[in-house]
Amino acid sequence: MKRILAWAGVFVIAALFVLLIVLAVSGAEAGAIVAALVCLVLFPAILYGCMLFYRMTGKRRENEKEDGE
């Protein structure tokens, strides 16, 4: 499951990069290019935050299971 999600993340980042190049070459408005840049930066940051949150809460749940037994 982790491998599939990793490949999905790589695909999304690559698609955003290609979109950014297409927008820049086609002469799109500056707002669209900036939006693509922001998404290119925010997507990995949010993904990292979600993974960090999952790790922290997962350890806490394991500790609660050990204490409950």
Side-chain angles (χ1 to χ4, degrees):
M1 183 68 171
K2 288 181 183 180
R3 189 173 291 178
I4 294 171
L5 291 175
W7 277 107
V10 168
F11 177 75
V12 169
I13 292 171
L16 284 170
F17 189 71
V18 169
L19 175 68
L20 180 63
I21 291 173
V22 168
L23 287 174
V25 170
S26 68
E29 295 182 12
I33 295 172
V34 170
L37 276 171
V38 168
C39 289
L40 193 59
V41 171
L42 284 182
F43 178 73
I46 291 172
L47 191 62
Y48 177 75
C50 289
M51 288 175 12
L52 186 64
F53 179 75
Y54 178 74
R55 284 184 195 155
M56 295 302 232
T57 57
K59 289 181 182 178
R60 186 177 302 147
R61 289 180 188 159
E62 289 176 6
N63 290 339
E64 288 175 359
K65 287 180 183 178
E66 291 174 2
D67 292 340
E69 292 179 4

